[in-house]
mmCIF file of all heavy atoms in Angstrom:
data_model
loop_
_atom_site.group_PDB
_atom_site.id
_atom_site.type_symbol
_atom_site.label_atom_id
_atom_site.label_comp_id
_atom_site.label_asym_id
_atom_site.label_seq_id
_atom_site.Cartn_x
_atom_site.Cartn_y
_atom_site.Cartn_z
ATOM 1 N N CYS A 6 24.297 46.072 -66.755
ATOM 2 C CA CYS A 6 23.131 46.955 -66.862
ATOM 3 C C CYS A 6 21.916 46.154 -67.307
ATOM 4 O O CYS A 6 21.943 45.503 -68.354
ATOM 5 C CB CYS A 6 23.391 48.098 -67.842
ATOM 6 S SG CYS A 6 22.008 49.268 -67.905
ATOM 7 N N THR A 7 20.849 46.231 -66.520
ATOM 8 C CA THR A 7 19.630 45.512 -66.859
ATOM 9 C C THR A 7 18.806 46.247 -67.908
ATOM 10 O O THR A 7 17.898 45.664 -68.490
ATOM 11 C CB THR A 7 18.765 45.286 -65.600
ATOM 12 O OG1 THR A 7 18.484 46.547 -64.994
ATOM 13 C CG2 THR A 7 19.488 44.390 -64.601
ATOM 14 N N LYS A 8 19.126 47.507 -68.180
ATOM 15 C CA LYS A 8 18.369 48.255 -69.185
ATOM 16 C C LYS A 8 18.937 48.044 -70.585
ATOM 17 O O LYS A 8 18.216 47.727 -71.516
ATOM 18 C CB LYS A 8 18.358 49.746 -68.845
ATOM 19 C CG LYS A 8 17.562 50.558 -69.854
ATOM 20 C CD LYS A 8 17.423 51.994 -69.452
ATOM 21 C CE LYS A 8 16.596 52.722 -70.512
ATOM 22 N NZ LYS A 8 16.394 54.117 -70.176
ATOM 23 N N CYS A 9 20.262 48.235 -70.752
ATOM 24 C CA CYS A 9 20.842 48.110 -72.096
ATOM 25 C C CYS A 9 21.586 46.788 -72.289
ATOM 26 O O CYS A 9 22.119 46.525 -73.356
ATOM 27 C CB CYS A 9 21.748 49.301 -72.410
ATOM 28 S SG CYS A 9 23.207 49.452 -71.351
ATOM 29 N N HIS A 10 21.629 45.975 -71.241
ATOM 30 C CA HIS A 10 22.173 44.614 -71.292
ATOM 31 C C HIS A 10 23.667 44.533 -71.599
ATOM 32 O O HIS A 10 24.127 43.536 -72.148
ATOM 33 C CB HIS A 10 21.372 43.743 -72.274
ATOM 34 C CG HIS A 10 19.910 43.775 -71.986
ATOM 35 N ND1 HIS A 10 19.360 43.176 -70.872
ATOM 36 C CD2 HIS A 10 18.880 44.369 -72.639
ATOM 37 C CE1 HIS A 10 18.058 43.380 -70.862
ATOM 38 N NE2 HIS A 10 17.732 44.114 -71.916
ATOM 39 N N VAL A 11 24.425 45.571 -71.230
ATOM 40 C CA VAL A 11 25.880 45.463 -71.353
ATOM 41 C C VAL A 11 26.391 44.716 -70.125
ATOM 42 O O VAL A 11 25.805 44.814 -69.045
ATOM 43 C CB VAL A 11 26.574 46.848 -71.488
ATOM 44 C CG1 VAL A 11 26.169 47.536 -72.769
ATOM 45 C CG2 VAL A 11 26.318 47.725 -70.288
ATOM 46 N N PRO A 12 27.469 43.958 -70.280
ATOM 47 C CA PRO A 12 28.011 43.241 -69.120
ATOM 48 C C PRO A 12 28.738 44.196 -68.180
ATOM 49 O O PRO A 12 29.028 45.342 -68.538
ATOM 50 C CB PRO A 12 28.983 42.243 -69.759
ATOM 51 C CG PRO A 12 29.393 42.881 -71.040
ATOM 52 C CD PRO A 12 28.208 43.671 -71.506
ATOM 53 N N ALA A 13 29.044 43.707 -66.998
ATOM 54 C CA ALA A 13 29.857 44.494 -66.062
ATOM 55 C C ALA A 13 31.165 44.863 -66.755
ATOM 56 O O ALA A 13 31.693 44.099 -67.562
ATOM 57 C CB ALA A 13 30.138 43.671 -64.810
ATOM 58 N N GLY A 14 31.657 46.048 -66.465
ATOM 59 C CA GLY A 14 32.926 46.484 -67.042
ATOM 60 C C GLY A 14 32.802 47.228 -68.354
ATOM 61 O O GLY A 14 33.800 47.620 -68.948
ATOM 62 N N ARG A 15 31.570 47.443 -68.843
ATOM 63 C CA ARG A 15 31.354 48.171 -70.105
ATOM 64 C C ARG A 15 30.479 49.389 -69.848
ATOM 65 O O ARG A 15 29.629 49.386 -68.960
ATOM 66 C CB ARG A 15 30.663 47.295 -71.146
ATOM 67 C CG ARG A 15 31.414 46.041 -71.503
ATOM 68 C CD ARG A 15 32.521 46.361 -72.495
ATOM 69 N NE ARG A 15 33.121 45.143 -73.013
ATOM 70 C CZ ARG A 15 34.327 44.720 -72.658
ATOM 71 N NH1 ARG A 15 35.038 45.396 -71.802
ATOM 72 N NH2 ARG A 15 34.817 43.626 -73.174
ATOM 73 N N TYR A 16 30.669 50.427 -70.643
ATOM 74 C CA TYR A 16 29.824 51.614 -70.551
ATOM 75 C C TYR A 16 28.402 51.275 -70.987
ATOM 76 O O TYR A 16 28.203 50.403 -71.835
ATOM 77 C CB TYR A 16 30.345 52.725 -71.466
ATOM 78 C CG TYR A 16 31.621 53.372 -70.987
ATOM 79 C CD1 TYR A 16 32.848 53.031 -71.541
ATOM 80 C CD2 TYR A 16 31.594 54.341 -69.988
ATOM 81 C CE1 TYR A 16 34.022 53.637 -71.107
ATOM 82 C CE2 TYR A 16 32.759 54.949 -69.553
ATOM 83 C CZ TYR A 16 33.967 54.597 -70.107
ATOM 84 O OH TYR A 16 35.124 55.192 -69.686
ATOM 85 N N CYS A 17 27.421 51.995 -70.444
ATOM 86 C CA CYS A 17 26.039 51.850 -70.903
ATOM 87 C C CYS A 17 25.911 52.459 -72.296
ATOM 88 O O CYS A 17 26.732 53.276 -72.711
ATOM 89 C CB CYS A 17 25.074 52.554 -69.939
ATOM 90 S SG CYS A 17 24.774 51.636 -68.426
ATOM 91 N N ARG A 18 24.854 52.046 -73.003
ATOM 92 C CA ARG A 18 24.652 52.531 -74.367
ATOM 93 C C ARG A 18 23.169 52.734 -74.635
ATOM 94 O O ARG A 18 22.317 52.106 -74.026
ATOM 95 C CB ARG A 18 25.222 51.546 -75.374
ATOM 96 C CG ARG A 18 24.489 50.223 -75.361
ATOM 97 C CD ARG A 18 25.081 49.217 -76.287
ATOM 98 N NE ARG A 18 24.337 47.958 -76.136
ATOM 99 C CZ ARG A 18 24.794 46.804 -76.488
ATOM 100 N NH1 ARG A 18 25.997 46.702 -77.021
ATOM 101 N NH2 ARG A 18 24.071 45.716 -76.333
ATOM 102 N N ASP A 19 22.889 53.639 -75.548
ATOM 103 C CA ASP A 19 21.543 53.845 -76.084
ATOM 104 C C ASP A 19 21.679 53.902 -77.588
ATOM 105 O O ASP A 19 22.700 54.355 -78.124
ATOM 106 C CB ASP A 19 20.932 55.163 -75.594
ATOM 107 C CG ASP A 19 20.286 55.045 -74.224
ATOM 108 O OD1 ASP A 19 20.006 53.919 -73.775
ATOM 109 O OD2 ASP A 19 20.057 56.097 -73.609
ATOM 110 N N ARG A 20 20.629 53.486 -78.275
ATOM 111 C CA ARG A 20 20.603 53.562 -79.735
ATOM 112 C C ARG A 20 19.972 54.898 -80.118
ATOM 113 O O ARG A 20 18.814 55.163 -79.811
ATOM 114 C CB ARG A 20 19.826 52.397 -80.319
ATOM 115 C CG ARG A 20 20.003 52.224 -81.792
ATOM 116 C CD ARG A 20 19.455 50.845 -82.213
ATOM 117 N NE ARG A 20 19.784 50.561 -83.570
ATOM 118 C CZ ARG A 20 20.950 50.070 -83.988
ATOM 119 N NH1 ARG A 20 21.896 49.818 -83.115
ATOM 120 N NH2 ARG A 20 21.172 49.843 -85.256
ATOM 121 N N ILE A 21 20.744 55.754 -80.762
ATOM 122 C CA ILE A 21 20.295 57.088 -81.159
ATOM 123 C C ILE A 21 20.524 57.227 -82.658
ATOM 124 O O ILE A 21 21.659 57.123 -83.133
ATOM 125 C CB ILE A 21 21.065 58.189 -80.396
ATOM 126 C CG1 ILE A 21 20.875 57.989 -78.885
ATOM 127 C CG2 ILE A 21 20.613 59.580 -80.839
ATOM 128 C CD1 ILE A 21 21.801 58.815 -78.030
ATOM 129 N N ALA A 22 19.444 57.441 -83.401
ATOM 130 C CA ALA A 22 19.515 57.580 -84.864
ATOM 131 C C ALA A 22 20.225 56.379 -85.491
ATOM 132 O O ALA A 22 21.047 56.520 -86.395
ATOM 133 C CB ALA A 22 20.190 58.882 -85.255
ATOM 134 N N GLY A 23 19.939 55.183 -84.961
ATOM 135 C CA GLY A 23 20.493 53.965 -85.531
ATOM 136 C C GLY A 23 21.920 53.639 -85.128
ATOM 137 O O GLY A 23 22.503 52.678 -85.615
ATOM 138 N N VAL A 24 22.499 54.428 -84.228
ATOM 139 C CA VAL A 24 23.887 54.219 -83.799
ATOM 140 C C VAL A 24 23.920 54.084 -82.281
ATOM 141 O O VAL A 24 23.284 54.862 -81.569
ATOM 142 C CB VAL A 24 24.778 55.415 -84.234
ATOM 143 C CG1 VAL A 24 26.197 55.251 -83.736
ATOM 144 C CG2 VAL A 24 24.748 55.592 -85.733
ATOM 145 N N HIS A 25 24.660 53.089 -81.785
ATOM 146 C CA HIS A 25 24.829 52.967 -80.331
ATOM 147 C C HIS A 25 25.767 54.063 -79.854
ATOM 148 O O HIS A 25 26.850 54.246 -80.407
ATOM 149 C CB HIS A 25 25.405 51.603 -79.956
ATOM 150 C CG HIS A 25 24.377 50.541 -79.910
ATOM 151 N ND1 HIS A 25 24.374 49.475 -80.772
ATOM 152 C CD2 HIS A 25 23.294 50.376 -79.106
ATOM 153 C CE1 HIS A 25 23.337 48.699 -80.507
ATOM 154 N NE2 HIS A 25 22.664 49.233 -79.502
ATOM 155 N N ARG A 26 25.350 54.788 -78.822
ATOM 156 C CA ARG A 26 26.140 55.865 -78.228
ATOM 157 C C ARG A 26 26.373 55.572 -76.752
ATOM 158 O O ARG A 26 25.539 54.966 -76.080
ATOM 159 C CB ARG A 26 25.409 57.196 -78.350
ATOM 160 C CG ARG A 26 25.134 57.594 -79.766
ATOM 161 C CD ARG A 26 26.020 58.729 -80.143
ATOM 162 N NE ARG A 26 25.846 59.057 -81.554
ATOM 163 C CZ ARG A 26 26.835 59.377 -82.335
ATOM 164 N NH1 ARG A 26 28.056 59.415 -81.872
ATOM 165 N NH2 ARG A 26 26.628 59.671 -83.594
ATOM 166 N N VAL A 27 27.517 56.020 -76.250
ATOM 167 C CA VAL A 27 27.826 55.914 -74.826
ATOM 168 C C VAL A 27 26.911 56.870 -74.080
ATOM 169 O O VAL A 27 26.737 58.023 -74.491
ATOM 170 C CB VAL A 27 29.300 56.295 -74.565
ATOM 171 C CG1 VAL A 27 29.591 56.350 -73.067
ATOM 172 C CG2 VAL A 27 30.234 55.318 -75.251
ATOM 173 N N VAL A 28 26.310 56.391 -72.999
ATOM 174 C CA VAL A 28 25.465 57.228 -72.149
ATOM 175 C C VAL A 28 25.876 57.036 -70.692
ATOM 176 O O VAL A 28 26.632 56.123 -70.371
ATOM 177 C CB VAL A 28 23.967 56.897 -72.326
ATOM 178 C CG1 VAL A 28 23.504 57.217 -73.739
ATOM 179 C CG2 VAL A 28 23.665 55.453 -71.995
ATOM 180 N N ARG A 29 25.352 57.913 -69.845
ATOM 181 C CA ARG A 29 25.647 57.773 -68.412
ATOM 182 C C ARG A 29 25.156 56.416 -67.942
ATOM 183 O O ARG A 29 24.345 55.772 -68.605
ATOM 184 C CB ARG A 29 24.984 58.892 -67.618
ATOM 185 C CG ARG A 29 23.474 58.786 -67.579
ATOM 186 C CD ARG A 29 22.891 59.839 -66.655
ATOM 187 N NE ARG A 29 21.445 59.808 -66.668
ATOM 188 C CZ ARG A 29 20.706 59.004 -65.918
ATOM 189 N NH1 ARG A 29 21.269 58.150 -65.109
ATOM 190 N NH2 ARG A 29 19.397 59.037 -65.992
ATOM 191 N N PHE A 30 25.630 55.988 -66.790
ATOM 192 C CA PHE A 30 25.138 54.738 -66.237
ATOM 193 C C PHE A 30 23.626 54.862 -66.067
ATOM 194 O O PHE A 30 23.137 55.812 -65.455
ATOM 195 C CB PHE A 30 25.775 54.449 -64.875
ATOM 196 C CG PHE A 30 27.248 54.164 -64.937
ATOM 197 C CD1 PHE A 30 28.157 54.985 -64.291
ATOM 198 C CD2 PHE A 30 27.729 53.072 -65.637
ATOM 199 C CE1 PHE A 30 29.508 54.711 -64.330
ATOM 200 C CE2 PHE A 30 29.081 52.794 -65.686
ATOM 201 C CZ PHE A 30 29.981 53.620 -65.029
ATOM 202 N N HIS A 31 22.886 53.912 -66.631
ATOM 203 C CA HIS A 31 21.429 53.951 -66.514
ATOM 204 C C HIS A 31 21.010 53.841 -65.052
ATOM 205 O O HIS A 31 21.699 53.234 -64.236
ATOM 206 C CB HIS A 31 20.798 52.809 -67.326
ATOM 207 C CG HIS A 31 20.858 53.034 -68.790
ATOM 208 N ND1 HIS A 31 21.566 52.207 -69.637
ATOM 209 C CD2 HIS A 31 20.318 54.012 -69.569
ATOM 210 C CE1 HIS A 31 21.436 52.655 -70.876
ATOM 211 N NE2 HIS A 31 20.687 53.750 -70.859
ATOM 212 N N ARG A 32 19.860 54.427 -64.728
ATOM 213 C CA ARG A 32 19.373 54.442 -63.343
ATOM 214 C C ARG A 32 19.222 53.033 -62.768
ATOM 215 O O ARG A 32 19.614 52.806 -61.609
ATOM 216 C CB ARG A 32 18.054 55.215 -63.268
ATOM 217 C CG ARG A 32 17.466 55.280 -61.870
ATOM 218 C CD ARG A 32 18.417 55.817 -60.825
ATOM 219 N NE ARG A 32 18.645 57.238 -60.991
ATOM 220 C CZ ARG A 32 19.442 57.952 -60.214
ATOM 221 N NH1 ARG A 32 20.087 57.384 -59.209
ATOM 222 N NH2 ARG A 32 19.613 59.222 -60.427
ATOM 223 N N PRO A 33 18.709 52.025 -63.509
ATOM 224 C CA PRO A 33 18.639 50.685 -62.910
ATOM 225 C C PRO A 33 20.021 50.147 -62.522
ATOM 226 O O PRO A 33 20.166 49.491 -61.480
ATOM 227 C CB PRO A 33 18.010 49.824 -64.007
ATOM 228 C CG PRO A 33 17.244 50.781 -64.855
ATOM 229 C CD PRO A 33 18.032 52.060 -64.822
ATOM 230 N N ARG A 34 21.026 50.443 -63.313
ATOM 231 C CA ARG A 34 22.384 50.003 -62.986
ATOM 232 C C ARG A 34 22.888 50.729 -61.738
ATOM 233 O O ARG A 34 23.513 50.127 -60.869
ATOM 234 C CB ARG A 34 23.304 50.284 -64.173
ATOM 235 C CG ARG A 34 24.699 49.717 -64.019
ATOM 236 C CD ARG A 34 25.500 49.969 -65.271
ATOM 237 N NE ARG A 34 26.729 49.214 -65.302
ATOM 238 C CZ ARG A 34 27.557 49.196 -66.328
ATOM 239 N NH1 ARG A 34 27.274 49.879 -67.430
ATOM 240 N NH2 ARG A 34 28.668 48.491 -66.290
ATOM 241 N N GLN A 35 22.617 52.031 -61.656
ATOM 242 C CA GLN A 35 23.017 52.787 -60.469
ATOM 243 C C GLN A 35 22.305 52.262 -59.226
ATOM 244 O O GLN A 35 22.923 52.127 -58.164
ATOM 245 C CB GLN A 35 22.724 54.278 -60.661
ATOM 246 C CG GLN A 35 23.605 54.930 -61.712
ATOM 247 C CD GLN A 35 23.433 56.424 -61.765
ATOM 248 O OE1 GLN A 35 23.380 57.084 -60.724
ATOM 249 N NE2 GLN A 35 23.360 56.984 -62.958
#
């Protein structure tokens, strides 16, 4: 993912309230 910089084979993530959370595949990755 070019947005959250996770490598191939990992779920995308966003930082929400100081904690990384699993999110849907970001649009740039899709």
